Amino acid sequence: MNRAGPGAGHWRWQRLALNVLAILLAVLAWHGAALWKDNLLIFPTPLTCLSALGDVLSDPERRDQLLITLRRVVVGFALGSALGVAVGGLIGSVRSVALTLEPVVHFLRSVTPVAWIVPATIWLGVGEGSLRFIVVYATVFPVAINTLTGLTQVPVNKVRMARTFGASRLRIHASIVLPSAVPYIVTGMRLSLGYAFMSVVAAEMVAGRDGIGFLIYDSRIFFDTATMFAGILLLGAAGLLADRVFSVVTHRGLARFYAGQVNT
């Protein structure tokens, strides 16, 4: 929440302390579960996984797998977000488009991206095309739905006032409707960022030849569970960092669109 004033600094330190405490508790629970399982080959300890993570990061070939996955996420997320804003904007602005596309959007968003991995490999082959298609598919619908929601939540009084002063429909849409929808669009994009990470790993496991998902899945050949966990840790850390960066950049860069709202 937005806590301006003398207590803001104290709250930041308190939040950091709570985050560190949560991580420590999670690591202790993980270590306890590994000791209880008493089979490090199946369930390695945190220290074993950190050692494997160090090995992955020190190996240029395996370290590049993270960059490959991040590139796919960025490209697919950008394309899916742009397409989602366009689709949601059309549905929310043009009645004929809404009657035509809205049922299709709700139908497709109910189908998990994983279900499209095999058809995508048949259509686009095993490689970048099918992998990026899956990320775009996972990204586009949350953005489209949130864009549509934002366009329907515009304050009616603002629109009426603009009409009273003779503003055109295009001017109202550009000056009132779209700015009011920005927080909803950003929320949809933030959700889609997480979906992009989840979907790309699933796609890399099935149809990829590289990437973090492939690294995790390939580790099964040698039953290298420590490397599997290292890949999972890398993926989670990358997703967390991407989410934090996205949140900070959007709230600072688009602060004027959040006037009167509670920041998170």
Side-chain angles (χ1 to χ4, degrees):
M1 297 180 64
N2 184 20
R3 292 175 171 80
H10 172 73
W11 164 250
R12 282 194 293 269
W13 282 108
Q14 186 180 35
R15 182 177 181 178
L16 178 61
L18 291 174
N19 289 339
V20 172
L21 177 61
I23 293 173
L24 290 176
L25 290 176
V27 171
L28 288 175
W30 177 1
H31 186 73
L35 294 179
W36 175 78
K37 186 65 178 177
D38 196 22
N39 189 336
L40 299 183
L41 184 62
I42 297 176
F43 201 148
T45 64
L47 289 178
T48 304
C49 294
L50 286 176
S51 177
L53 178 60
D55 294 337
V56 170
L57 293 176
S58 61
D59 184 347
E61 184 177 351
R62 293 198 291 178
R63 185 174 63 237
D64 288 345
Q65 303 305 310
L66 175 62
L67 300 178
I68 292 170
T69 295
L70 289 177
R71 183 170 63 246
R72 289 169 180 158
V73 168
V74 170
V75 173
F77 172 73
L79 292 175
S81 296
L83 184 59
V85 172
V87 171
L90 284 174
I91 293 176
S93 304
V94 184
R95 180 171 176 79
S96 60
V97 175
L99 294 175
T100 304
L101 290 185
E102 190 170 6
V104 177
V105 169
H106 285 291
F107 172 84
L108 290 176
R109 79 184 183 94
S110 301
V111 181
T112 174
V114 178
W116 291 104
I117 295 177
V118 174
T121 56
I122 295 174
W123 299 332
L124 304 172
V126 177
E128 291 301 316
S130 57
L131 296 175
R132 289 178 180 178
F133 169 80
I134 296 300
V135 180
V136 171
Y137 184 90
T139 303
V140 63
F141 296 110
V143 177
I145 296 299
N146 277 271
T147 300
L148 176 60
T149 302
L151 293 176
T152 60
Q153 298 297 317
V154 178
V156 178
N157 291 337
K158 289 185 178 181
V159 176
R160 291 174 178 171
M161 183 180 296
R163 288 175 180 170
T164 300
F165 285 98
S168 65
R169 183 176 179 180
L170 181 61
R171 181 64 181 274
I172 292 174
H173 200 77
S175 301
I176 298 177
V177 177
L178 287 180
S180 298
V182 166
Y184 294 87
I185 295 173
V186 171
T187 299
M189 292 176 66
R190 187 174 179 183
L191 290 172
S192 292
L193 185 59
Y195 295 150
F197 274 96
M198 290 187 286
S199 62
V200 73
V201 171
E204 287 173 347
M205 287 182 174
V206 178
R209 297 172 180 154
D210 47 25
I212 291 296
F214 179 80
L215 175 68
I216 295 172
Y217 192 69
D218 190 56
S219 299
R220 83 195 191 286
I221 296 176
F222 303 101
F223 217 75
D224 188 1
T225 52
T227 300
M228 293 181 191
F229 275 80
I232 293 171
L233 290 173
L234 267 179
L235 182 67
L240 176 62
L241 180 61
D243 178 78
R244 291 290 89 193
V245 170
F246 179 84
S247 179
V248 171
V249 170
T250 53
H251 277 79
R252 290 184 178 179
L254 304 173
R256 67 189 183 92
F257 296 106
Y258 287 86
Q261 295 193 17
V262 178
N263 295 331
T264 55

